[in-house]
Structure formats: structure tokens, C-alpha cells
Amino acid sequence: MGTHLILVGLLSLCSLSFGQECNQQLLENVDFPGNDVTSLFSPDVDHCQQLCTQHPSCDFFTFFRADGTQDNRNFFCLIKAATNGQPTAQAPLQGVTSGFSLKPCSQDLEPCLSKVYQNVDFKDADYRALFTADSEECQRACTQDPACQFFTLLNEAFTAFGNRYRFKCHLKFSWPVPRIPLIEKKTGVTSGFSQITEITQQSVCQGKLFPNTDIPGNDVEVIPAASPEHCQALCSAHSVCTYFSFNSNDFNCNLKKNTEDFVTQAKDGVTSGLPARFCQLDNNTYQRTCTQDPYCQFYSYTNDNFGDPNFRRHCFLKRTITMPAPPKVARLANVVSGFQLRNCNSKTTE
């Protein structure tokens, strides 16, 4: 009886199709109270709606606009869900806008985010800074850097700290590839990724993995991974990862940054390696099913050895948010923020 991996996350059985009708209506100064799944940050209601659309559980949302004065939740995007896909209640509330997921609609899964936001700071997530003449040049720098997902420019009127930081363009990172909330061993389960995700496109390259080898220290982030190859793909997608170590006992992927040296030591159960690009994984039936569904990013299949007979031979298709999502958004005078335009190459920008 084989033991395989299950990639644990929010999921739908056999398909990520949706039964609700397409509803693009936005309700200004209307709250959908309750039914909260999580809260994220968005610069405007359109971005919040896109986050809801990419979130696997979200049916509807409430966004707290910048002009709201009710409390300190400006730029909060509340992700919500209900069994029937509809809000339990609606209530008047100044400074919020509510709406629905666009999953049932014909939807672009890689939206063009061309809008820039005056006097709005995308806080944190910085990995690189440079000086540019204006926000257009800062946005071009972000677009041309594959690791950059969004930016904030301190413009010429920014006078804090004695004018030292005027024209400073901060490039920022968020994960463009699916990350798995939890990974565990489970008999009778096989898991993997859609072939259209960057995880499969950034898979193993020969000569770049070092079995039973650890690279101690210099960790920048520790996240779950299913295998050394998965950890390698995550390192390849990260803005500053120079190498990694994967622990097969707890499925921890230790992403590391050190541009000065590469010091290894022998350690059982640990595989280390370097970032890899432009490699390909093998395909299978369940992977093809996931690949053919535009919303699916990864999957788990339960075979005849799965413990619960009621869930044997089931294919669970899964996804997470991969669009640019600032960790925090706040008002700040004389700054300009925005997103990379790589998804706008063949689309009309605003």
C-alpha cells in the first residue's frame, strides 16, 4: 500500500465550475455583514473583486474604501462565502462597496492592473530600490523585473526625512505561483500541479540538486513544499532566493539568500539545490484534468487505497490567489503606487 502526498487546501470536488449566475453589480455604501472567510488589502474595489474571484472559497466581498470614516479599516477587502453563494444579509454602511465573485463570468485569470494610485502606499514586501524620474518610469522598472509585482514611488514632493528619499522607487514582491497551505503524507492520495502553472515550468534541472546535503543559515522564508523539485520551483519564483534546503521529514522548504558563498554540510533527509528555470515535469491523467480547467492550479486524487471508501477515486481540483496582492495598503501623501504591466502586453490599458 503506497503512501503519497496530499496538498491540503481549499478545494472543489472534480471541478472548479460554479453554479451561480454571473453578477457584476457593485453595491456602493452597502455592507454584506458576516460570512467572512479572510481579510486582505486592496487599493480599490476592482482589485478586491479580482482577489475574490481568485480565492477558491469567495462568493462575495465587502471593500472598505479610502474615503470611509467609520473605522480604521480603509483598504480592507473582506472575502466572504456562503453555502448558497449569496449574502445572508445586506445593510447600509457608508464608505464600503460590496459585490460578487466573477468566477461564473467569462473572466481573465491574469488581469491587467494598469491603474496607479496617488497618495497610496503599498507597504512592505520591498526587495529592491532605485531612483526614477516619475511613476511611469518606476512602473516600467517593475514591469521589466520578473520578480516585481507592484511598486511605490516617493515623488518629488515627498519631504519626509529631509528630502533624502525623493524619486525613490521601491520594487515589491508577492508570490506569482501557487503555494500550498499544508502538506502531509496520506495513504491512497496522489497530488500535483497544473501544467500551465509556473511550478511545472520551473521544475528540476539535472545537476542542480544535492541529496543528503544541507546549506545552514541565511533563511529568508520557510514554506511547505511537496518535494525538492517543488522547493526548487518556489526558490526560482522568489525575488531574492539564491539557493534552498528541503527537509523531507517535515516538508519544510527553506529559501535562502547569500550572494557571497555556498557552504554545504552532509545531512540525511535534506536536499539542497539552486534555482531552476525552463524545465518540465511529466504529465498524467489527473494533471491533464487540472490543466484543462482554467481555474485549477493543483490537485489531489484519492485512489482505491484511500482510508475513507466514500471518497475513493475522487479528483479534487484546487487553487490559491496568485495575482499581485500588497500585504498592506495605506494612505500616504506624495507617493504613487501601482502594479507591473506584464499582463497588459496584449490588452488595452486604462
Side-chain angles (χ1 to χ4, degrees):
M1 184 177 293
T3 299
H4 303 282
L5 296 182
I6 182 168
L7 309 182
V8 180
L10 298 167
L11 51 85
S12 299
L13 177 61
C14 292
S15 174
L16 282 170
S17 60
F18 305 91
Q20 291 83 19
E21 294 183 359
C22 175
N23 187 344
Q24 302 184 52
Q25 183 181 17
L26 295 175
L27 304 175
E28 193 166 317
N29 299 319
V30 173
D31 181 27
F32 292 161
N35 302 114
D36 290 12
V37 175
T38 188
S39 64
L40 303 168
F41 282 95
S42 285
D44 64 12
V45 67
D46 295 328
H47 184 268
C48 181
Q49 188 171 47
Q50 293 287 351
L51 288 178
C52 177
T53 301
Q54 286 207 355
H55 192 283
S57 298
C58 185
D59 296 315
F60 46 91
F61 65 90
T62 293
F63 174 70
F64 286 73
R65 302 191 308 266
D67 63 341
T69 58
Q70 295 286 339
D71 51 31
N72 295 320
R73 290 192 289 176
N74 303 97
F75 304 109
F76 271 55
C77 176
L78 303 185
I79 302 296
K80 299 169 181 280
T83 304
N84 64 358
Q86 298 298 317
T88 304
Q90 298 186 21
L93 183 63
Q94 290 294 315
V96 307
T97 300
S98 296
F100 298 87
S101 166
L102 299 177
K103 293 183 184 75
C105 309
S106 178
Q107 176 61 21
D108 190 344
L109 297 180
E110 294 185 347
C112 169
L113 305 174
S114 60
K115 190 182 299 183
V116 295
Y117 303 88
Q118 301 287 339
N119 301 316
V120 173
D121 183 17
F122 290 172
K123 299 175 69 67
D124 304 326
D126 298 41
Y127 72 93
R128 181 185 167 204
L130 64 157
F131 290 92
T132 62
D134 52 34
S135 61
E136 289 82 4
E137 186 177 349
C138 184
Q139 189 172 47
R140 284 195 295 271
C142 180
T143 300
Q144 293 170 10
D145 187 328
C148 184
Q149 297 296 321
F150 45 94
F151 67 90
T152 293
L153 171 76
L154 313 183
N155 65 25
E156 60 182 327
F158 189 82
T159 57
F161 309 106
N163 300 330
R164 295 169 54 195
Y165 299 114
R166 292 183 303 161
F167 306 105
K168 194 169 187 180
C169 171
H170 294 267
L171 304 186
K172 298 165 183 275
F173 172 80
S174 67
W175 283 100
V177 298
R179 290 181 299 160
I180 315 304
L182 176 66
I183 299 175
E184 62 184 25
K185 290 183 178 179
K186 182 164 285 191
T187 300
V189 177
T190 301
S191 300
F193 293 93
S194 163
Q195 284 196 307
I196 61 174
T197 68
E198 291 186 37
I199 291 294
T200 55
Q201 295 166 12
Q202 295 176 337
S203 184
V204 59
C205 286
Q206 294 296 325
K208 296 294 192 292
L209 294 178
F210 307 95
N212 298 315
T213 301
D214 186 25
I215 308 174
N218 301 303
D219 291 9
V220 293
E221 189 167 353
V222 180
I223 54 178
S227 66
E229 293 82 4
H230 182 199
C231 185
Q232 186 177 51
L234 292 170
C235 180
S236 301
H238 195 277
S239 59
V240 298
C241 183
T242 54
Y243 44 77
F244 66 90
S245 292
F246 171 76
N247 192 318
S248 60
N249 295 316
D250 56 15
F251 300 108
N252 276 343
C253 174
N254 298 270
L255 304 182
K256 301 167 181 285
K257 179 187 177 183
N258 184 350
T259 59
E260 300 300 322
D261 52 33
F262 182 76
V263 180
T264 64
Q265 65 181 34
K267 189 171 183 179
D268 291 341
V270 176
T271 299
S272 296
L274 305 174
R277 294 171 178 86
F278 312 117
C279 303
Q280 196 67 34
L281 284 178
D282 293 334
N283 193 8
N284 59 48
T285 302
Y286 318 120
Q287 188 178 49
R288 285 195 297 272
T289 302
C290 180
T291 301
Q292 290 167 3
D293 190 310
Y295 279 95
C296 182
Q297 295 171 330
F298 52 102
Y299 67 91
S300 291
Y301 175 76
T302 56
N303 62 26
D304 291 335
N305 296 322
F306 189 68
D308 188 338
N310 294 320
F311 288 96
R312 290 173 183 169
R313 297 187 180 182
H314 281 53
C315 174
F316 296 92
L317 306 186
K318 313 182 181 189
R319 73 167 294 114
T320 61
I321 293 173
T322 54
M323 64 177 282
K328 191 170 184 181
V329 180
R331 286 178 287 198
L332 182 63
N334 301 313
V335 307
V336 182
S337 297
F339 298 93
Q340 51 88 1
L341 299 178
R342 290 188 294 277
N343 294 336
C344 303
N345 290 339
S346 58
K347 305 166 188 175
T348 301
T349 59
E350 297 178 1

